[in-house]
Amino acid sequence: MLPAVAVAAVVAVAVVAVAVAVAIPALRHRLVRSALRRAGGRYRRRLEALGSDVRLSQERRLRRLLGTGTGTGTGTGTAGGERGAAGSGPGSRSHGFPFSLCLSRQARRSSSSGIPWGSPVGTKPRAFRLARCGSGLCCPAAGTPTPGCRYRERRAGWARVPAGSALLTRRSPQGSLLYLDALGAAFPRALLRRGTAVLHWSPGRARGPAGWPLPSLYCSPAAAALLPSRAAALRLQLLFALRQRALRVLEAGLAAELQDALLALRAEWPRLAQELELGSPAAARAAELRAECARGFEGIVLRLWPQLEVVVVRTMRGTERLYCDSLRQTDCQGLPFYCPFYQAAGGESLLGVNLWPAEPEPRFLLCPDWAFCEFLPCPASKEPRAVLLDELWEGREYRLVVTAQPGEYRCLLPGDGAHPVSLHRRESQTLSVRGESIPEEQFCQSLCRTLRMWPGARLIDYVCVESSLLGDSSGPCAPHYEVFMELQGLRDLSEGQRYKLDQCLQEDFPIYKSFRFKGSIGPLRLHLVRPRTFTRLREALGCPVPMPRVLREERLLQLVQGSVIS
């Protein structure tokens, strides 16, 4: 009788505890946060276990993608079912799976990277840049092969990959659990209730923020991101953020969205202060907003939210790196930036997670069970030969080839500084009017070098146009580039200053210089546009994608041309 009474008492206490937790939001938040962090820790340990045999984990992932099952036969390879899928003839490899036999005919026909199926893996030692191994950096002596490393993390594929990412368009519980665990470990008070403000526009359908399993983390409702107007959505989310003085995290889908929200703060802070005063509890906050904005906007983020610990953005490379650098130097002085995810294949596939929020440069754990990965050594040879995750060596750069979704096989991701292929892939990432092909990242480097020759100038944003899109308006001249820039600190540029950019391009790209010398390419033309032109341009794009650096649409070109001031 007593045991039954004791069980009933325990059940009653549990029911009361659950009821109290549900009734008290703060307690409910703490309980859910604790459960999610424990789940994130368990998943991280699971990834370490998967990393004990990278080749087996990759083979299982590939079999699932190709619909061949996980393997239950009696083959002699690493996976039990290798014989059923790959056979055991002379072409097989007993320690892995041969590409030419394991991959289905459909996969061979669907290869989108142009890399020949059945590419033999070279025997020359390869290398890859490692992330953190335990408490130090795993950098063995040159010539030490990856499989022989005594660190489990090394074999788990803790590889440094290009620090870019696409928008998180599908909710990934694994990635978000790891994100919450990593963020909470690096910044213990970052996961407080209503301690995170999100600035992201996602019209049509909601895209979950990084910590979506814990909605009480955010101070603004999810519906704010669904407004049809980008400017209205960001402004409303900014207003919710301003009400919360004790923010710990500022999260943005794109760094450009954070920049545009802060530009709106610069332009509209008196009106924002009036709107804050409409709620009596926020009257003191409105007075604080007026006082801080009146002092200027250098370091304004940390002055408005003195307890802020980190800025979270989805990507910090390519087109978005420009905005991150600008924010670090001005509005967000003194704050670390954290890029949590590495994604590709239409933005639907999570490839890796950054588990080191406090480090200045993003590094990603490339998870062997999330996608099948191959690597092409850089610089690429005429006949590229891919190597696998466990065949990489320290000290060499690679390009990543991903098979992440059924029907999307061997997608070659752009190199360092470019964004992975996404549903909103830009039509071009190079400038080319005579076949010279100047990559976007290298053009940006030449542009930034030119800026250092213009004292007092700070670049806000830019786009390029090839003269073929301009038609008759470009005049009777050789094909050339036209660059539209928004600058801060300079109202006009002399002809000599404008020519500096063309000169830097000639110094950095010999092919471009030869075409300029022959007269096949005309001199670059540079135009200055009025403030907030690029904010309107991003609104005109109609979806939350990184800024295209080469305009291909006449309607977007007309918008920019209508804002030229010099």
Side-chain angles (χ1 to χ4, degrees), residues 20-41:
V20 171
V22 171
I24 304 177
L27 178 58
R28 182 170 69 250
H29 173 83
R30 281 202 293 260
L31 291 175
V32 175
R33 179 185 64 191
S34 178
L36 291 174
R37 287 203 58 190
R38 285 197 299 270

Side-chain angles (χ1 to χ4, degrees), residues 133-176:
C133 236
S135 59
L137 190 66
C138 182
C139 293
T144 305
T146 299
C149 178
R150 62 189 178 90
Y151 294 103
R152 172 179 292 183
E153 291 87 347
R154 178 98 187 250
R155 300 178 66 190
W158 294 56
R160 184 193 296 272
V161 292
S165 64
L167 287 175
L168 185 61
T169 57
R170 186 179 67 178
R171 294 185 174 185
S172 171
Q174 298 93 343
S176 292

Side-chain angles (χ1 to χ4, degrees), residues 54-227:
V54 175
R55 183 173 289 270
L56 177 59
S57 299
Q58 286 277 273
E59 179 174 357
R60 287 173 174 169
R61 179 59 181 162
L62 184 61
R63 289 179 182 275
R64 288 196 297 271
L65 289 168
L66 298 177
T68 58
T70 57
T72 57
T74 58
T76 59
T78 306
E82 183 170 342
R83 175 173 297 180
S88 57
S92 300
R93 294 164 55 188
S94 60
H95 62 280
F97 48 89
F99 282 53
S100 57
L101 297 176
C102 174
L103 296 175
S104 67
R105 292 182 180 178
Q106 178 189 9
R108 294 175 191 158
R109 289 195 302 268
S110 303
S111 175
S112 60
S113 63
I115 305 166
W117 290 106
S119 301
V121 177
T123 57
K124 184 178 180 180
R126 310 292 186 185
F128 73 112
R129 300 180 183 272
L130 292 175
R132 190 187 297 273
C133 236
S135 59
L137 190 66
C138 182
C139 293
T144 305
T146 299
C149 178
R150 62 189 178 90
Y151 294 103
R152 172 179 292 183
E153 291 87 347
R154 178 98 187 250
R155 300 178 66 190
W158 294 56
R160 184 193 296 272
V161 292
S165 64
L167 287 175
L168 185 61
T169 57
R170 186 179 67 178
R171 294 185 174 185
S172 171
Q174 298 93 343
S176 292
L177 290 175
L178 290 170
Y179 161 77
L180 291 172
D181 182 58
L183 188 66
F187 305 100
R189 300 188 65 81
L191 301 182
L192 292 179
R193 178 175 176 267
R194 299 179 66 82
T196 298
V198 63
L199 297 167
H200 181 46
W201 179 53
S202 56
R205 62 167 179 157
R207 289 179 171 86
W212 65 265
L214 190 60
S216 55
L217 196 63
Y218 297 95
C219 65
S220 61
L226 301 178
L227 294 177

Side-chain angles (χ1 to χ4, degrees), residues 192-271:
L192 292 179
R193 178 175 176 267
R194 299 179 66 82
T196 298
V198 63
L199 297 167
H200 181 46
W201 179 53
S202 56
R205 62 167 179 157
R207 289 179 171 86
W212 65 265
L214 190 60
S216 55
L217 196 63
Y218 297 95
C219 65
S220 61
L226 301 178
L227 294 177
S229 167
R230 179 179 183 273
L234 295 179
R235 190 181 186 282
L236 180 59
Q237 291 170 331
L238 175 64
L239 194 59
F240 275 101
L242 290 172
R243 292 176 63 90
Q244 299 291 329
R245 189 178 190 275
L247 282 185
R248 303 288 179 163
V249 179
L250 198 56
E251 179 182 333
L254 295 170
E257 293 175 319
L258 174 57
Q259 175 173 275
D260 287 343
L262 294 174
L263 286 174
L265 175 65
R266 288 173 180 253
E268 303 179 32
W269 63 266
R271 185 178 174 187

